[in-house]
């Protein structure tokens, strides 16, 4: 039996969320849904699976978080002290820098 490009759905529990998309992205999402004859939910879920699978830096970061959490759990069980907080992602610092620069640019425009 030949395998299809898009795998058959596996029934799993779902949790509803709300997202905001740009109009052009929503139009493309709906077009893609008509193209493959499936729902927005399924397309978004599959797109996320694809990103999670292919982003090697993210996979390394997840593994580091698992190792840090395992080490923290071992330390807590030995010393009964509080565990370590997870580290923010490597992209956060860059995002924060861009946000500060954008905010500074807006403030300069308003004062001019």
């Amino acid at each position: 039996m030949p395998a299809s490009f898009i795998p058959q759905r596996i029934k799993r529990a779902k949790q509803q969320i709300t997202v905001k998309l740009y109009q052009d992205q929503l139009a493309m999402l709906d077009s893609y849904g008509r193209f493959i004859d499936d729902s927005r939910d399924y397309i978004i879920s599959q797109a996320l699976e694809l990103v999670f699978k292919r982003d090697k830096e993210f996979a390394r970061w997840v593994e580091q978080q698992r190792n840090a959490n395992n080490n923290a759990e071992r330390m807590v069980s030995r010393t009964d002290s509080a565990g370590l907080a997870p580290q923010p992602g490597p992209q956060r610092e860059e995002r924060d820098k861009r946000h500060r620069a954008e905010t500074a640019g807006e403030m300069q425009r308003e004062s001019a």
Side-chain angles (χ1 to χ4, degrees), residues 14-74:
K14 295 181 180 179
Q15 182 174 350
Q16 184 172 345
I17 64 167
T18 301
V19 297
K20 294 181 181 181
L21 298 174
Y22 295 109
Q23 287 182 338
D24 60 329
Q25 291 173 327
L26 182 56
M28 291 298 286
L29 176 61
D30 288 338
S31 293
Y32 199 79
R34 288 190 303 277
F35 175 67
I36 66 167
D37 193 27
D38 218 318
S39 67
R40 291 174 176 174
D41 297 356
Y42 183 68
I43 296 165
I44 292 169
S45 176
Q46 290 300 300
L48 288 171
E49 290 293 330
L50 183 67
V51 169
F52 299 155
K53 186 188 304 185
R54 293 202 178 167
D55 190 330
K56 302 302 180 196
E57 185 177 342
F58 175 66
R60 281 191 293 273
W61 182 80
V62 168
E63 188 62 31
Q64 288 172 348
Q65 295 304 300
R66 283 187 191 133
N67 291 339
N69 289 339
N70 288 341
N71 291 339
E73 288 172 8
R74 278 189 234 125

Side-chain angles (χ1 to χ4, degrees), residues 2-14:
S4 64
F5 186 73
I6 294 180
Q8 184 176 1
R9 288 188 201 215
I10 297 171
K11 303 282 191 238
R12 298 188 299 188
K14 295 181 180 179

Side-chain angles (χ1 to χ4, degrees), residues 91-108:
Q91 307 288 324
R92 186 174 190 166
E93 187 173 318
E94 277 301 314
R95 202 170 43 241
D96 290 346
K97 284 181 191 176
R98 281 195 310 270
H99 178 69
R100 285 192 298 272
E102 289 170 3
T103 304
E106 289 172 7
M107 292 172 68
Q108 288 177 349

